[in-house]
Amino acid sequence: MLALALETSCDDTGAAVVDSTGRVLSSIVESSIDLHRAFGGVVPELAGRAHLATVTPVVQKALDVAGLDPHDPAIDLVAATAGPGLVGSLLIGLSAAKAYALAWDKPFVGVHHLDGHLFAPLLETPEVEWPLLTLLVSGGHSMLVLQRAPGEHRVVGETIDDAAGEAYDKVARWLGLPYPGGPEIDRRASSGDPHALQLPVSMRNDSLDFSFSGLKTAVVRATERQPEVGVDDVAASFQAAVVEQLLRKVTQALEREGARSVALAGGVAANSALRHALTELGRERGVSVYLPSRAMCTDNAAMIGAAGLHRFAHEGASPLSTPARPSWTLVDR
Ligand code: KG4
Ligand code: ZN
């Protein structure tokens, strides 16, 4: 089966064509990040307007690259992210997908954005060793999810305050680095000393939950106390504390849940220190580690197509009355 998928939950307009064997025939992403940089974060109204301007050309390009007739493509369904995300952004992709489904007389499927992120590593890993533990870390979410098979997941831990990417962005802003701060801190940290600042590693307890807001405050306090410490060293110290907390929770979850492999997902999965540390952990503990490409870590429509095909096979089509759900929580399945 072939799906056309749309993703417009935040600042990226994505359209992709994927099949049910996991083959990605096309995946186009148009980001509006340049419009938001001056504001230090995504401005919902600007994101919505950008989606409105780009959604049709992005879909046309995805069909074109996949070699499909743009007027009557030989697809089996149209999938779109229904939530969570910015409501004005979600509505653009969702409405467009419903209109295409109606015009081409194809079934429509509404997809949970995080379901998509969980499918992303599977698209690039031919032979997954189940059960799989996924560390999903982005600007809006941070969680540990155990999967027994594709689409069968249980959230085993999540952040009790900020998301990991949000902490990166806030610390970067404090340091005067441009938005989005994650890639910037990653880059600066590579030439810094991770021991320059003494920062606490939060959540040294039995729970599999994360916490990042205390760390952000600790960075502010420490830099006020030691103004002589340079930006590279602060970045390296902060990043080391984030990675240590994430790795601790992954280790605890592996021990408790008996997973045979670990995958990274979400924008923070592009972080070089995290990728390196997780690879080492996998080697030490004898578990397979799946590190998706950067394009597959960040928001894209190919992962929504994969989740949409799975959902359609198990639950059938979604009604065209499916609403945008900005605060949709991921339920265990
Ligand atoms: O998944 P994503 O593209 O968007 C959503 O939040 O859904 O993730 C964006 C987040 C931002 O907070 C950004 O700063 C962070 O991912 N990020 C990184 C890196 N690249 C992106 N954080 C740390 N290191 C990176 N290399
Ligand atoms: Zn995302």
Side-chain angles (χ1 to χ4, degrees), residues 280-325:
E280 283 297 305
L281 181 88
R283 199 170 297 142
E284 276 165 25
R285 305 193 75 92
V287 295
S288 302
V289 174
Y290 311 131
L291 305 176
S293 64
R294 192 180 146 62
M296 201 48 93
C297 292
T298 51
D299 289 348
N300 67 86
M303 66 185 196
I304 301 301
L309 282 161
H310 184 272
R311 189 177 176 124
F312 184 70
H314 290 80
E315 294 168 36
S318 311
L320 285 177
S321 57
T322 299
R325 299 175 68 181

Side-chain angles (χ1 to χ4, degrees), residues 38-75:
F39 302 94
V42 175
V43 183
E45 176 67 16
L46 294 180
R49 284 168 188 248
H51 286 305
L52 202 53
T54 49
V55 72
T56 309
V58 165
V59 167
Q60 296 294 312
K61 191 162 176 197
L63 293 173
D64 188 41
V65 172
L68 295 169
D69 176 357
H71 303 292
D72 186 18
I75 53 168

